[in-house]
Amino acid sequence: GIATVLMVVIGSAVGPVNIPLSHTTSTLLEMVGIGNSIAEPTEQAIIRSIRLPRIFLALFVGAALGISGGIMQGLFRNAMADPGIIGVSSGGAVGAVAAIASGFSSVSTLFLPLFAVIGSSVSMAAVFGIASIGGRFSMATLLLVGIAVSSFLAAITSAMIILTDNLNVQRQIIFWITGGFDTARWESVQIVAPVILAGSLVTVFVARDLNVLLGSEDEARALGVRVGVVRTVLLVSASLITGTAVAFSGIIAFVGLVVPHVIRLMVGADHRVLLPLSALGGGLFLVIADTAASVVLSPAELRVGILTAMIGAPFFIYLLVRNRSRASML
């Protein structure tokens, strides 16, 4: 929590235009009703209208991906699971690419996230519907259907990119797919925050039941857990907040995979602790990544999705190798 507050201050000060920490701190304090800002009007405008919306959107998107990853890893009893495993991210990508390719995204800034949310919702409904055919539902079937649907949607996305002959449109699509917060505005935060907060609170309230599900479904039923209801609530909540996050940020890899895994190594597998800390850790990680992305190639900007993949993949391999070595020693 302390690190998150510090990163909000640092992220507000650092960028293509560096602002003194004293100016940044006084502006942030003034915004919460403490004292008066000593920053120049231009500096205040940069902090209030450009950097803070970006930081808060990164916090909420990171929280959504982190807590969704923790849910998926718990439900599938697999540390390799992530929020996009049931096709939500791929569906959002199809919707967003369709909005850009058709020109709707240029009509209003809200059309792109709207199409992405619709794509995520349709994808989620399709995966659930196919996995439930015949009246028998299992997590293994859901996983396989999710992988198949994700591959199919990825092919549709690639086809739309190839069939688009406008290079500027192709560039916009690629920028969205690689993930970032450069278009963040307070309006985006106001839309994202209620959905992600509500979905996250629901998952935290059923975290105890998720702990019981880590054993077996038969044991959970014997202990009074309504397995079908709990599983549905968790899957829908995780899919909803993931779809919302993807709609406003694009595809950001490895946050939902690495962050819950690291938190689990630190605090154990009790989801009453794991899920809130995964949300906090995911938000912190994305604010750090976004701040680094804005300065590492300054005045140009590296896409956040690229940076998280470059950091997350080697770090995750390191964790796997370390854990395997430790297990062989035992």
Side-chain angles (χ1 to χ4, degrees):
I2 294 171
T4 301
V5 173
L6 289 175
M7 276 309 305
V8 170
V9 177
I10 295 171
S12 300
V14 175
V17 177
N18 289 321
I19 300 173
L21 280 175
S22 58
H23 292 194
T24 303
T25 304
S26 65
T27 301
L28 295 176
L29 290 175
E30 184 185 65
M31 292 183 69
V32 297
I34 302 175
N36 295 313
S37 175
I38 61 173
E40 298 293 331
T42 303
E43 294 174 337
Q44 292 187 45
I46 291 173
I47 293 171
R48 294 170 185 267
S49 302
I50 299 176
R51 291 185 182 168
L52 278 182
R54 183 168 178 156
I55 289 169
F56 276 95
L57 186 60
L59 280 173
F60 282 113
V61 169
L65 296 177
I67 200 169
S68 297
I71 292 167
M72 293 300 178
Q73 291 173 11
L75 283 174
F76 288 100
R77 304 185 187 94
N78 189 335
M80 298 298 291
D82 76 341
I85 200 168
I86 57 174
V88 178
S89 298
S90 300
V94 170
V97 171
I100 298 172
S102 63
F104 278 104
S105 61
S106 60
V107 176
S108 170
T109 56
L110 293 179
F111 271 116
L112 195 152
L114 175 63
F115 273 58
V117 169
I118 292 172
S120 296
S121 302
V122 171
S123 173
M124 179 182 69
V127 170
F128 274 74
I130 297 171
S132 302
I133 290 176
R136 299 185 63 183
F137 179 90
S138 71
M139 296 302 292
T141 303
L142 183 72
L143 174 61
L144 294 174
V145 172
I147 292 172
V149 170
S150 293
S151 299
F152 177 73
L153 294 175
I156 293 178
T157 301
S158 300
M160 284 193 288
I161 295 173
I162 293 172
L163 295 175
T164 301
D165 54 4
N166 188 319
L167 293 179
N168 186 46
V169 171
Q170 287 184 340
R171 181 179 175 85
Q172 291 180 45
I173 292 172
I174 293 170
F175 260 60
W176 187 88
I177 289 177
T178 51
F181 304 104
D182 49 299
T183 60
R185 298 293 180 267
W186 282 119
E187 292 80 2
S188 305
V189 178
Q190 291 168 354
I191 296 171
V192 166
V195 177
I196 293 178
L197 286 174
S200 299
L201 284 175
V202 169
T203 61
V204 171
F205 279 122
V206 293
R208 174 183 169 276
D209 294 330
L210 182 56
N211 285 340
V212 181
L213 283 172
L214 290 177
S216 70
E217 293 187 0
D218 291 335
E219 291 177 359
R221 289 190 181 93
L223 292 170
V225 176
R226 300 174 65 181
V227 173
V229 174
V230 170
R231 186 172 54 198
T232 301
V233 167
L234 287 171
L235 285 171
V236 171
S237 297
S239 300
L240 177 64
I241 60 179
T242 299
T244 304
V246 167
F248 285 87
S249 68
I251 306 298
I252 297 180
F254 278 98
V255 178
L257 180 64
V258 173
V259 171
H261 192 77
V262 173
I263 298 296
R264 187 179 292 104
L265 293 176
M266 294 169 60
V267 301
D270 185 349
H271 288 87
R272 293 173 298 179
V273 179
L274 175 65
L275 294 183
L277 287 183
S278 293
L280 187 61
L284 173 61
F285 177 64
L286 266 195
V287 172
I288 294 173
D290 186 50
T291 303
S294 66
V295 298
V296 67
L297 295 178
S298 183
E301 183 174 314
L302 184 66
R303 301 298 290 172
V304 178
I306 296 174
L307 188 60
T308 57
M310 291 173 66
I311 296 172
F315 185 66
F316 193 65
I317 292 172
Y318 162 73
L319 288 176
L320 292 175
V321 171
R322 192 187 69 169
N323 290 342
R324 185 174 180 180
S325 299
R326 183 175 295 177
S328 63
M329 289 175 64
L330 294 175

